[in-house]
Amino acid sequence: MKVEDTATEGIRGWGCTPTGDHPPAVVTNSSTTEHSSGLPIWITRGWKRNLLYGIIVFLMVLVFLNIALTLWIISTLRLTARGIGPITIVKDGVHLAGQVWVVDKLVASTISSQAAQTMTLHSHRNFSVLVSEPGQVNLAKLVIKRDTIECSGQVFEIRDAKGGEVFYASREEVRVSADTLNLDGAGGLTVKSALQTPVVRAPPGSDLQLESLTRRLDLRAPQSIFFESRAGGISITSHSNITLKSDVGAIKIHASNIIINNLKEAAVTDVPNKKSWGKKVYQLCACASGKLFLAAPDSICAMQDHETELCR
């Protein structure tokens, strides 16, 4: 059963009288209607779609941030296709421009500078260079400290530009192969054990001095020892005795004049001749011990009993 209202052009009916037609739709105003929870309807109805849009926007922001950070890193480090900033990758290795700070260790086969440019290795405490082989205990090491330079190894060699040996040092010997070894220091050369050399020569205009401050000085040669002064004299001074000894041969003195000063003179027993006394000529006498003394020219070469000091 249904009733039609012609005035309102609507259809009214009762729930107890079902009909075959669908009930009329209820028309509402969306501008004034709100959800029962108090949130806008565009949030409550499409929340999955809004969440997907939010995730997409967040990912786009992350992508732009990553691109900006990557561009900043490239510009700061000066990354190029050939290297990083001052580090350039070349055919035979790596080229570094400017200063390089090595924090821990530097392992390289060759370190060289550019042509016509210097290379400086600077370290605050010490600079060490080690050369070793795997499984080998022996190694060569060079340590440069603030005030010392240490070099350890079995052999230390210095060679010239032609490859010739200039200096050689090992535990057994130290050899200098240069033509001339000059020592310009005021203290000279100190040798604790022995010095073996064919020639010891002073530079022109300088003196040569061999000195032992507290002990003896020995000059030994199996064949001969030759002293020569071509433009001056040879002086030998001693606080005690000067001994000339020859086991097999003789002691020879070749000179036109032989002068012996400060010899003691024996007492004259007879009255000397005035002519002979004025010439100051004496006899050279020798004791049994080899000690020499003077005697008057016209007297016998003997000493008196009280002159015991002449042959003592």
Side-chain angles (χ1 to χ4, degrees):
M1 176 181 177
K2 64 180 179 177
V3 178
E4 295 182 0
D5 190 356
T6 58
T8 60
E9 295 180 358
I11 299 175
R12 295 180 180 180
W14 292 269
C16 56
T17 57
T19 61
D21 299 331
H22 295 285
V26 180
V27 180
T28 59
N29 190 2
S30 60
S31 61
T32 58
T33 306
E34 294 183 356
H35 196 265
S36 61
S37 61
L39 295 177
I41 192 171
W42 63 272
I43 295 178
T44 57
R45 286 187 176 181
W47 63 272
K48 294 182 179 180
R49 180 181 58 190
N50 296 333
L51 179 61
L52 180 60
Y53 289 161
I55 293 174
I56 294 175
V57 172
F58 179 72
L59 292 177
M60 292 178 64
V61 172
L62 287 181
V63 169
F64 286 122
L65 287 178
N66 290 330
I67 294 174
L69 184 60
T70 303
L71 294 177
W72 178 78
I73 292 175
I74 292 175
S75 62
T76 303
L77 298 180
R78 291 180 293 175
L79 294 175
T80 59
R82 299 185 59 186
I84 303 175
I87 304 175
T88 305
I89 301 175
V90 296
K91 181 179 179 181
D92 298 331
V94 178
H95 176 267
L96 301 177
Q99 296 183 356
V100 179
W101 295 84
V102 180
V103 179
D104 191 4
K105 295 181 180 180
L106 176 62
V107 181
S109 59
T110 303
I111 301 176
S112 61
S113 63
Q114 293 183 355
Q117 291 187 1
T118 60
M119 181 175 61
T120 303
L121 301 177
H122 177 73
S123 177
H124 290 284
R125 292 187 177 180
N126 62 66
F127 178 75
S128 302
V129 178
L130 302 177
V131 179
S132 62
E133 295 182 359
Q136 296 290 336
V137 179
N138 299 326
L139 53 87
K141 179 172 65 175
L142 175 64
V143 180
I144 303 177
K145 299 181 181 179
R146 292 182 179 178
D147 52 354
T148 58
I149 298 177
E150 298 178 0
C151 180
S152 61
Q154 294 183 353
V155 176
F156 178 74
E157 290 183 316
I158 298 178
R159 298 183 177 272
D160 57 7
K162 297 181 180 179
E165 183 181 287
V166 177
F167 182 82
Y168 175 88
S170 64
R171 182 175 292 274
E172 290 76 16
E173 63 175 346
V174 175
R175 185 171 59 250
V176 179
S177 302
D179 296 335
T180 304
L181 176 62
N182 295 326
L183 300 176
D184 298 332
L189 175 63
T190 301
V191 180
K192 294 183 179 180
S193 57
L195 177 63
Q196 296 180 0
T197 177
V199 178
V200 178
R201 182 187 301 111
S206 301
D207 298 332
L208 176 63
Q209 183 176 357
L210 301 178
E211 181 180 3
S212 178
L213 298 178
T214 58
R215 293 295 185 269
R216 54 187 289 176
L217 176 63
D218 295 339
L219 297 178
R220 298 179 182 180
Q223 186 174 358
S224 62
I225 296 178
F226 179 72
F227 294 95
E228 181 183 4
S229 179
R230 298 181 180 179
I234 296 177
S235 177
I236 300 176
T237 304
S238 175
H239 177 72
S240 184
N241 299 329
I242 296 176
T243 303
L244 300 178
K245 180 182 178 182
S246 178
D247 295 334
V248 179
I251 298 176
K252 299 179 181 181
I253 300 176
H254 299 276
S256 59
N257 297 320
I258 299 176
I259 301 174
I260 303 176
N261 297 324
N262 300 327
L263 290 179
K264 294 182 179 181
E265 182 181 353
V268 180
T269 57
D270 299 334
V271 178
N273 190 1
K274 293 183 179 180
K275 295 182 179 180
S276 62
W277 183 260
K279 295 181 180 179
K280 295 292 184 180
V281 177
Y282 299 93
Q283 296 184 77
L284 183 61
C285 305
C287 300
S289 61
K291 188 175 182 180
L292 302 178
F293 65 93
L294 300 177
D298 53 354
S299 64
I300 61 174
C301 192
M303 69 176 184
Q304 302 299 324
D305 295 337
H306 62 277
E307 297 177 338
T308 57
E309 294 182 358
L310 293 177
C311 294
R312 180 178 298 177

